[in-house]
Structure formats: C-alpha cells, structure tokens
Amino acid sequence: MVDIGTLVDSKQGLINPLIYTDPALYQLELDRVFGRSWLFLAHESQLPNRGSFVQTYMGEDPVLVVRQRDASVKAFLNQCRHRGMRICRADAGTNKTFTCSYHGWAYDLEGNLINVPLEERAYHNQIDKSQWGATKVPRVQSYKGFYFGTWSDEVPEFEEYLGEMKYYFDAAVDRWDNGLEFVKGATKWVIDCNWKFAAEQFTSDMYHAPISHASAMVALFEDPAMRSLFDPSPHDQGRQFAGHGHGTGSMGIPEFGPDILAGPEYSAWQIANRDQVYNRLGTDRAHKIMIHNNIFPNFSWLGTASTMRVWHPRGPGQIEVWAWTYVPKDAPESARKGVREVTQRTFSPAGVFETDDGENWTEIQQVMRGWKARSTLFNAQMGLGFEQRDYPGMPGMSNDLYSEMGARGFYQRWQDLMKNLSWKEIAELDAQRRAAEQEVQPA
Ligand code: FES
Ligand SMILES: [Fe+2]
C-alpha cells in the first residue's frame, strides 16, 4: 500500500493520480471516508407520511431511510440478516413492514426483525429475533429539512461538521419561509469516473466553465451577454469559500431579481417574494448566487433553485449520480415549470453542461489507464497563498472565484480521514492550520 501521506500535498497543491485509480485505496475510502463522514440521506419532501421510505446508499452500502410512526426519521442497512438479500427492492414508497423477497424475513419500520417464516417448525421457536434486526445507522440528523446520516460515533454534530459552510448551505435551504421541495422523480445515471472529480469540481471549480461550457453557452443563448455569463470579467466580484473539506463558488449579482435561466414566471414569483429572502439571509447574501457547492464528501448542489445530487461511488472508476430538481415549496406550478425545464436542459443526463462535465471526467479516467499517466502529478496550485479569512460577506476562508483553494481543502480532509486520524485529531490539526494561516494572509 502506498503511503497516504504522500498522495496529496495540500500546502503545495499537488495530487497523485493514484487517488483516482487505486482499488485498494478505494476500499479504504469506503471505510475511512464514507464510513466516517456525514452523508446525505433524504429530503423531507421525499418522506411525507408515516411509513414513507426511500432507498439510498451510504458509499456502496444500500440503506433504507424511513419516516417512523412518531414522525422521526431512521435509517438502516438494506440487507437481510438471514443471507444478505436486499430487504426492500423498491426505490421509494410507503410501508408498514419490509419483507425480504428471498425467504420472507420481515422487519418493522425501524429495521427490527419481527417475523420469520416457519418459526416454529424450522427454527423450533429458538431464534431470538431481537438479535437479528437490520444494522441501524446509529446517527441520523435533520438540518432544515435535510437528513444526513453517519456510521461514526465520533464525527462532530452535523452543524459543527458544516462549520462556516452553514452560511452557504443556508443560502439555498433557508431561503424561503416555507422551505424547499424535491420535484418528484430523481434522475440517476452512471459516469465512468472517480467520485472525487465530480465532488471536487462542485467544491471548487469555476475555472472550467468558460472553456468547457463555451459551445453549450452558444447553443443555449443568442444574446452575447448571456453567452459570456461564465466569463471572468472585471464587474464580477465572485469568490470561493472553502472550509472543513466543503466549498462554494459565489458570484455577486447587482440586485436580487430575475432568473433568466428559469424563465419569466419563476422570475416574477421570486421578485414578488423577495422580502422573504432579504429577511432570512440579509441583503448581502441575497445579492449573491452560490453557484457551485459541495458538502464533503459527496453531496452537491447548484444555485438557488436547480439541481441537488449525490455522487455515489461505484469502484475507483465509476459513479452513480442521483440528482433531484429542487424548488421553493411555495412556488406555483407555473413558476416551478421553468426551474424543472431549465434543470433538465442544463444539469441532467440530457443537459448540455452535464454532458460537458462528464466528458471531462471520463476522459481523464481513460487517460489514467496508462501507467505513466497514473504516476504524473497534477497541479492544484491556483490561488495558493492568496487565501483570506473572513473577507467581507464571505465567512471563513475565501479566495478569488477562480481558485483551487476549495480543491486543496477537499483533498486535505480526504487525506486526514484516509490516514485514519480520529475526528478529535482532525479538529486539533484544523486549529493548528488556522493558527498558521495568519502568516500567509496577504496584506
Ligand atoms: S435472505 Fe432474507 S429471508 Fe433469507
Ligand atoms: Fe461544469
């Protein structure tokens, strides 16, 4: 096994491509990264009633997320304790119990084993059902309608785990008085790339947009002003935030107003309801768009009404993307139609930007089949040494929008976890890093 300490150098901005290809490292990631982080499970709009459930994954582990009789949400491994079959094979629905389709062991909404066929004849009444419940996800926490779960008993509470990312996450999830809703119907597709390419890009990469998406912008818009929306220009005061492995790219807008992409109805609804945003987020945050965002390790979203997704890892060279369109819960159908349509046209398996992004990631993964290509270091040095803490309107560490500070932070957290440092040790290291950062702050 390679020395994990040498794979990433976040101080120098260097990445060893083995982190995207090595099968042994990947197995370790499932345990040390996905097994010890907070992972997105479901949004409350997916679990409207008692007994509502969705099936999802924590890393590669299938889990069932279930609304309980007392309205709380619990999660357990979707694996029968008899011979390991998936307990529930439906993606979503409403149930009173879950019955395994192999031999019929049945579980309640919490995952307790409640019925075993032929219990008297075949088991001679000697099976202790209380010992054979499904493996429970020990911690599930709700944050503004979003449920996150972890296998770890030592990772800090979810809000502490978010750190300053809370400010940026809230810009999307705490924007409207009545919250958000996932539009029914997730889109799911497979991309042949390592999960970190996708997660890192949503953490940190605005740099690719003017280049990678240039032709898509031409195809989408006739107006030259719209075509150059992604171009770095002097009027754009965009900045990038990074902290605790999370990241956001934020762009200033002259005033809170029309959403050209989502169409006139949504724009009119937004403007009519803008006081909600001003009251909840303050003027400064209302006048920014948090364009790209990722909560470490693999939960990403774009903008303020668009797509949210999880990059489920499927081996070192593949991901399953599960994406939802999210809209303000109160927006009428006429307004949300614009959001739904533009999301499908831009960021979906059929979307122009999505296919550009996937093309890059699969191409890199292909190139790394070469042994020389796999041992040539990558450069993640953009903006190194120009980070600033608590820049006005950007709590935490930020840098120009065009920077790889977010990527460095993402890989730093990845490496901390891969080294199997405890969360307590990571917190101590973070404090040391924070003390050291004062020295590199530009005047
Ligand atoms: S594997 Fe589920 S009942 Fe046998
Ligand atoms: Fe992109």
Side-chain angles (χ1 to χ4, degrees):
M1 170 70 75
V2 286
D3 176 3
I4 292 164
T6 66
L7 289 173
V8 173
D9 183 342
S10 293
K11 281 209 178 101
Q12 303 296 323
L14 300 172
I15 300 167
N16 184 326
L18 271 184
I19 68 168
Y20 306 112
T21 60
D22 188 84
L25 284 174
Y26 175 73
Q27 289 305 322
L28 216 55
E29 275 181 337
L30 292 183
D31 174 8
R32 295 182 178 176
V33 177
F34 290 95
R36 299 201 296 144
S37 301
W38 282 104
L39 303 175
F40 174 71
L41 297 178
H43 182 255
E44 63 181 5
S45 56
Q46 296 175 280
L47 302 166
N49 306 311
R50 285 177 297 176
S52 293
F53 70 90
V54 290
Q55 178 171 187
T56 186
Y57 289 88
M58 294 172 72
E60 295 233 34
D61 285 309
V63 291
L64 281 168
V65 188
V66 188
R67 175 84 63 193
Q68 303 295 306
R69 287 177 204 286
D70 66 358
S72 68
V73 167
K74 292 187 174 159
F76 53 90
L77 197 62
N78 188 10
Q79 182 193 35
C80 181
R81 293 295 302 282
H82 178 231
R83 207 63 95 249
M85 179 65 177
R86 220 178 271 266
I87 296 169
C88 174
R89 300 178 71 182
D91 287 340
T94 308
N95 260 1
K96 290 198 171 98
T97 56
F98 298 96
T99 303
C100 177
S101 57
Y102 195 172
H103 312 91
W105 283 24
Y107 299 81
D108 69 9
L109 297 180
E110 285 183 62
N112 301 311
L113 180 64
I114 52 168
N115 190 51
V116 172
L118 298 183
E119 189 171 352
E120 195 180 332
R121 173 173 170 176
Y123 287 97
H124 309 281
N125 277 331
Q126 283 177 356
I127 182 164
D128 179 359
K129 294 200 286 294
S130 72
Q131 297 303 304
W132 294 101
T135 303
K136 298 189 178 158
V137 178
R139 295 168 74 195
V140 174
Q141 288 186 1
S142 146
Y143 182 82
K144 302 189 178 181
F146 289 73
Y147 292 97
F148 288 80
T150 183
W151 300 108
S152 166
D153 54 14
E154 52 137 19
V155 64
E157 300 290 296
F158 181 70
E159 276 200 45
E160 196 184 329
Y161 177 88
L162 272 183
E164 297 106 345
M165 188 67 192
K166 182 174 148 50
Y167 180 88
Y168 305 91
F169 192 29
D170 283 353
V173 304
D174 202 7
R175 193 173 188 81
W176 306 105
D177 289 348
N178 213 9
L180 300 175
E181 163 170 303
F182 279 11
V183 169
K184 271 203 172 53
T187 3
K188 302 176 180 177
W189 69 101
V190 168
I191 304 180
D192 288 329
C193 72
N194 186 272
W195 67 274
K196 293 188 288 302
F197 285 121
E200 181 221 296
Q201 186 180 292
F202 277 65
T203 304
S204 172
D205 192 335
M206 193 63 195
Y207 189 50
H208 78 285
I211 308 295
S212 286
H213 301 311
S215 60
M217 293 303 274
V218 172
L220 265 183
F221 302 111
E222 275 180 40
D223 178 357
M226 286 301 294
R227 286 179 175 179
S228 61
L229 203 64
F230 289 151
D231 292 355
S233 51
H235 68 263
D236 165 31
Q237 298 304 309
R239 285 188 75 77
Q240 174 180 114
F241 156 81
H244 296 257
H246 321 303
T248 286
S250 146
M251 214 185 237
I253 49 173
E255 57 171 337
F256 183 84
D259 186 316
I260 305 149
L261 283 170
E265 284 91 351
Y266 183 69
S267 290
W269 182 85
Q270 265 212 121
I271 290 166
N273 291 280
R274 65 178 151 200
D275 283 349
Q276 290 183 32
V277 185
Y278 282 126
N279 292 338
R280 301 184 77 84
L281 301 180
T283 317
D284 194 60
R285 218 174 349 168
H287 288 173
K288 287 195 173 84
I289 301 176
M290 309 308 173
I291 314 162
H292 59 78
N293 310 264
N294 187 60
I295 292 178
F296 186 91
N298 64 338
F299 178 59
S300 296
W301 69 99
L302 295 173
T304 56
S306 174
T307 178
M308 291 196 166
R309 70 261 309 275
V310 179
W311 318 101
H312 291 301
R314 294 292 178 266
Q318 195 173 74
I319 54 174
E320 239 178 74
V321 190
W322 287 25
W324 299 269
T325 301
Y326 72 98
V327 291
K329 200 170 175 184
D330 283 345
E333 176 50 30
S334 57
R336 59 173 70 196
K337 185 169 181 282
V339 178
R340 285 198 282 110
E341 287 177 356
V342 77
T343 304
Q344 293 308 308
R345 278 205 305 274
T346 55
F347 287 97
S348 78
V352 282
F353 301 131
E354 192 85 55
T355 42
D356 291 338
D357 291 334
E359 171 79 7
N360 289 325
W361 305 332
T362 50
E363 181 70 11
I364 302 166
Q365 203 73 33
Q366 284 283 327
V367 171
M368 290 187 304
R369 293 171 72 107
W371 71 270
K372 200 68 190 165
R374 231 171 20 236
S375 48
T376 301
L377 291 182
F378 292 172
N379 178 314
Q381 299 180 325
M382 200 191 311
L384 197 61
F386 291 87
E387 302 86 351
Q388 279 178 279
R389 183 159 285 281
D390 294 335
Y391 185 90
M394 293 292 289
M397 282 300 261
S398 69
N399 201 330
D400 192 84
L401 180 61
Y402 298 89
S403 164
E404 282 163 340
M405 178 189 61
R408 291 188 290 274
F410 173 86
Y411 290 114
Q412 179 71 74
R413 180 57 86 242
W414 177 87
Q415 190 177 41
D416 292 343
L417 288 165
M418 287 293 279
K419 283 177 169 171
N420 218 13
L421 300 177
S422 69
W423 277 101
K424 193 164 166 283
E425 289 169 320
I426 291 173
E428 284 163 12
L429 261 180
D430 278 351
Q432 287 170 22
R433 287 171 187 143
R434 180 157 179 172
E437 88 198 9
Q438 310 302 333
E439 297 160 22
V440 296
Q441 212 179 92

